[in-house]
């Protein structure tokens, strides 16, 4: 069997659980929030004043921490799935 066909038939990721789906949606929301705050910072600063940089920093830190946690859990789920499927190296 050609390598490309073997790779096509190999499962590459675990099915998404409810917890991982929730984490992915939260991550997407955080990324969108960071983009909106950065993109409209002058308006946010006008509305919130000196709290605007704190909000931006808080969102960036939360997005970074959540990204790290999500990727860790997603990789663990994928590795466990591939081990159960007998595909791990």
């Amino acid at each position: 069997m050609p390598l490309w066909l073997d790779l096509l038939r190999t499962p590459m990721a675990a099915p998404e659980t409810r917890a991982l789906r929730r984490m992915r949606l939260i991550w997407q929301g955080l990324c969108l929030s960071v983009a909106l705050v950065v993109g409209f910072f002058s308006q946010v600063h006008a509305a919130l004043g000196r709290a605007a940089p704190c909000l931006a920093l808080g969102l960036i830190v939360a997005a970074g921490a959540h990204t790290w946690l999500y990727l860790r859990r997603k990789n663990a789920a994928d590795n466990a799935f591939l081990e159960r499927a007998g595909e791990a190296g």
Side-chain angles (χ1 to χ4, degrees):
M1 174 180 318
L3 178 62
W4 67 269
L5 186 56
D6 188 38
L7 289 174
L8 191 64
R9 295 168 21 113
T10 303
M12 295 295 178
E16 190 174 53
T17 63
R18 285 184 186 190
L20 283 175
R21 182 175 191 269
R22 186 177 334 113
M23 287 187 77
R24 180 178 52 83
L25 292 174
I26 290 170
W27 175 75
Q28 289 172 335
L30 283 169
C31 290
L32 181 62
S33 298
V34 168
L36 289 173
V37 166
V38 169
F40 295 103
F41 188 76
S42 60
Q43 290 89 345
V44 173
H45 190 269
L48 299 179
R50 293 173 46 157
C54 295
L55 172 66
L57 179 63
L59 283 172
I60 291 169
V61 169
H66 193 75
T67 299
W68 176 79
L69 183 62
Y70 172 72
L71 290 177
R72 231 179 110 103
R73 289 187 180 172
K74 176 69 173 142
N75 285 334
D78 288 345
N79 289 337
F81 176 74
L82 290 175
E83 284 177 12
R84 284 192 305 270
E87 299 291 336

